[in-house]
Amino acid sequence: MATSYSTTTTILLFLLISFFSFNQIQAGNRNPNSVVLGLTRSSPTFTIPKPTKYSIKRLSQASDMVEPLRAVRDGYLLTLNIGTPRQVIQVYMDTGSDLTWVPCGNLSFDCLDCDDYRNNKLIGTFSTSYSSSSVRDTCGSSFCIDIHSSDNSFDTCIEAGCSLSSLLKATCSRPCPSFAYSYGEGGLVTGTLTRDNLRVHGSNPDITKDLPRFSFGCVGSTYREPIGIAGFGRGVLSLPSQLGFLQKGFSHCFLAFKYANNQSISSPLFMGDIAVSSNDNIQFTPMLKSPMFPNYYYIGLEAITVGDISSARVPLNLREFDSQGNGGMLIDSGTTYTHLPEPFYSQLLSMLQSAITYPRATDVETQTGFDLCYRVPCPNNRFTTDSFPSITFHFLNNVSLVLPQANYFYAMSAPINSTGVKCLLFQSMDDSNYGPAGVFGNFQQQNVEVVYDLEKERIGFQPMDCAAAAASQGLHKK
């Protein structure tokens, strides 16, 4: 989102004053286990997808779990049932972070620089006062130590006011100090760690299971983060970790964007054995281990093919890490569009321009910020199959994923005078040598079954009609 320098300065001053009052700022590079790598979602003119961590054995690791994911304009929402009685909160599914947090406070939750969401009905809030099972996490818990990115487990307890004798005896039960959790490109949330009951569904919608004392962030104020997030990384705070699924895995099949905000159909999310069961049609690529960000999921990109034309040479940093741990391609459900580094991104654009004969819609490019937009014929003002070249991603281990056309050229508005405009929904990576070299976003994962096989440390892809998959799981509402 674009923000003026004066507004940004005011916001940063407000945040700094608030954070230093607790002396608990979590800097983005203090601990690789706590840095969040989601990219900022852009704010286009048209209605298009908006880019923008106690025991883990309370649920048997052999158990299966199936939950619906609701498609919205910039991601996929997971419904959390928390508290006693249960309060229903919708949060983004995010494989690029660990912390699960929800907006807290009936009237006090405040999001800065979130004007676009002021009237958004998705913003539900959680109230600890309405839950009889809600408790504040303690300073000595592994979650509290993790969220504060401390190498010394005594740090948070000291800030909570514990005495030296209680620390040495491990008897201090003071509350975990308030935290600040940062996201890429400036997103920030502040709150307190809370524990409460979490209810999830088994492989059958009629089967439910309760996870007592689930740890999550109760967030009272945010910057550019209007909706809660369910972290699916590999850290101790993540949802799969607390549910006991890190020794198995999870999978999802994201619905096409045409189903965005359609409450009658949901994308299927699977966790446990059911998610990683063998399927001969799934191609698996190795899960790369980032020495800088070990909790997140990386894959190696070898090439991108446009039609029958081989791509320009893919830089090594899209499949390898440097000595500091920078590089690799992050696969992230919390980032909308795929991001590629320069000059490789510009070379891909040149290949597409050479293969497409439709007239450019440069005015729409200026309005939306996308780099390639074309005017396409629409007989009877209806979009038909266009003759855009295919785009194939080639990952390590000879894995080839042909993207559905709707995953890269998207209609910007309804056709007028038998003509419509479609734009390429890829973006260039920020010019930085820090962090991942590229990101494989959720828009390019639509109508693809994506399997995170954490036991074998690999990620699988298989093109699929996700609407049909949702129907087979009973995720259509009648």
Side-chain angles (χ1 to χ4, degrees), residues 28 33 36 119 125 221 254 271 304 404 457:
N33 293 331
V36 185
N119 298 317
T125 58
S221 60
F254 290 154
M271 300 184 71
I304 294 179
E457 297 191 326

Side-chain angles (χ1 to χ4, degrees), residues 83-164:
T84 307
R86 292 187 302 278
Q87 299 176 46
V88 179
I89 310 293
Q90 291 187 312
V91 296
Y92 283 114
M93 177 197 175
D94 184 16
T95 59
S97 65
D98 286 329
L99 175 69
T100 293
W101 66 268
V102 298
C104 277
N106 292 334
L107 299 175
S108 58
F109 175 72
D110 184 34
C111 182
L112 302 176
D113 200 8
C114 296
D115 291 339
D116 199 30
Y117 283 82
R118 291 300 179 191
N119 298 317
N120 196 315
K121 296 180 181 179
L122 298 176
I123 304 179
T125 58
F126 178 79
S127 176
T128 56
S129 61
Y130 292 161
S131 174
S132 61
S133 51
S134 180
V135 296
R136 178 90 171 261
D137 208 347
T138 59
C139 77
S141 77
S142 61
F143 300 132
C144 182
I145 295 169
D146 187 88
I147 194 101
H148 286 284
S149 308
S150 174
D151 294 327
N152 185 340
S153 61
F154 291 151
D155 284 353
T156 55
C157 295
I158 290 174
E159 294 180 40
C162 295
S163 66
L164 180 59

Side-chain angles (χ1 to χ4, degrees), residues 50-63:
K50 188 184 177 185
T52 45
K53 254 173 178 276
Y54 170 181
S55 172
I56 63 173
K57 297 182 180 179
R58 288 192 169 85
L59 290 182
S60 169
Q61 292 184 353
S63 299

Side-chain angles (χ1 to χ4, degrees), residues 75 132 161 176 241 264 283 300 355 447 465:
S132 61
C176 178
S241 177
S264 66
Q283 301 179 76
N447 279 325
D465 183 341

Side-chain angles (χ1 to χ4, degrees), residues 60-368:
S60 169
Q61 292 184 353
S63 299
D64 289 330
M65 170 178 155
V66 179
E67 294 287 347
L69 294 173
R70 179 184 169 191
V72 290
R73 64 177 182 170
D74 52 357
Y76 295 83
L77 296 178
L78 173 67
T79 298
L80 298 180
N81 293 274
I82 305 177
T84 307
R86 292 187 302 278
Q87 299 176 46
V88 179
I89 310 293
Q90 291 187 312
V91 296
Y92 283 114
M93 177 197 175
D94 184 16
T95 59
S97 65
D98 286 329
L99 175 69
T100 293
W101 66 268
V102 298
C104 277
N106 292 334
L107 299 175
S108 58
F109 175 72
D110 184 34
C111 182
L112 302 176
D113 200 8
C114 296
D115 291 339
D116 199 30
Y117 283 82
R118 291 300 179 191
N119 298 317
N120 196 315
K121 296 180 181 179
L122 298 176
I123 304 179
T125 58
F126 178 79
S127 176
T128 56
S129 61
Y130 292 161
S131 174
S132 61
S133 51
S134 180
V135 296
R136 178 90 171 261
D137 208 347
T138 59
C139 77
S141 77
S142 61
F143 300 132
C144 182
I145 295 169
D146 187 88
I147 194 101
H148 286 284
S149 308
S150 174
D151 294 327
N152 185 340
S153 61
F154 291 151
D155 284 353
T156 55
C157 295
I158 290 174
E159 294 180 40
C162 295
S163 66
L164 180 59
S165 61
S166 66
L167 291 179
L168 296 177
K169 296 176 183 179
T171 58
C172 183
S173 58
R174 297 258 181 155
C176 178
S178 300
F179 67 83
Y181 197 78
S182 59
Y183 291 82
E185 295 296 325
L188 204 60
V189 302
T190 63
T192 58
L193 274 188
T194 303
R195 293 188 187 235
D196 211 330
N197 294 332
L198 173 69
R199 173 162 291 186
V200 298
H201 295 91
S203 56
N204 185 312
D206 297 328
I207 299 175
T208 60
K209 299 178 182 179
D210 291 327
L211 176 67
R213 293 176 58 79
F214 174 71
S215 184
F216 61 96
C218 187
V219 169
S221 60
T222 72
Y223 177 52
R224 293 183 177 176
E225 297 294 338
I227 298 175
I229 291 174
F232 269 68
R234 305 182 78 171
V236 297
L237 277 165
S238 78
L239 186 64
S241 177
Q242 294 193 58
L243 290 172
F245 289 123
L246 284 187
Q247 300 305 313
K248 292 296 180 180
F250 59 91
S251 68
H252 56 69
C253 193
F254 290 154
L255 288 170
F257 178 66
K258 67 181 181 181
Y259 293 104
N261 300 318
N262 185 336
Q263 300 190 32
S264 66
I265 182 172
S266 303
S267 302
L269 167 68
F270 303 96
M271 300 184 71
D273 290 323
I274 190 174
V276 297
S277 58
S278 61
N279 189 317
D280 295 336
N281 296 321
I282 296 180
Q283 301 179 76
F284 285 97
T285 188
M287 188 183 296
L288 305 184
K289 295 181 179 180
S290 167
M292 180 181 292
F293 305 115
N295 289 354
Y296 309 129
Y297 309 104
Y298 283 79
I299 50 181
L301 182 66
E302 289 194 301
I304 294 179
T305 302
V306 175
D308 297 327
I309 305 173
S310 297
S311 70
R313 186 174 181 83
V314 173
L316 286 175
N317 65 353
L318 279 172
R319 57 184 180 275
E320 295 181 0
F321 301 103
D322 64 17
S323 57
Q324 285 76 43
N326 301 296
M329 172 167 268
L330 180 75
I331 178 169
D332 184 11
S333 67
T335 298
T336 309
Y337 309 127
T338 290
H339 289 65
L340 298 170
E342 293 287 4
F344 178 66
Y345 174 71
S346 292
Q347 293 168 352
L348 176 63
L349 295 184
S350 296
M351 294 170 58
L352 286 166
Q353 291 179 67
S354 299
I356 298 172
T357 59
Y358 295 127
R360 289 277 291 275
T362 55
D363 57 326
V364 179
E365 292 173 5
T366 300
Q367 294 177 48
T368 64

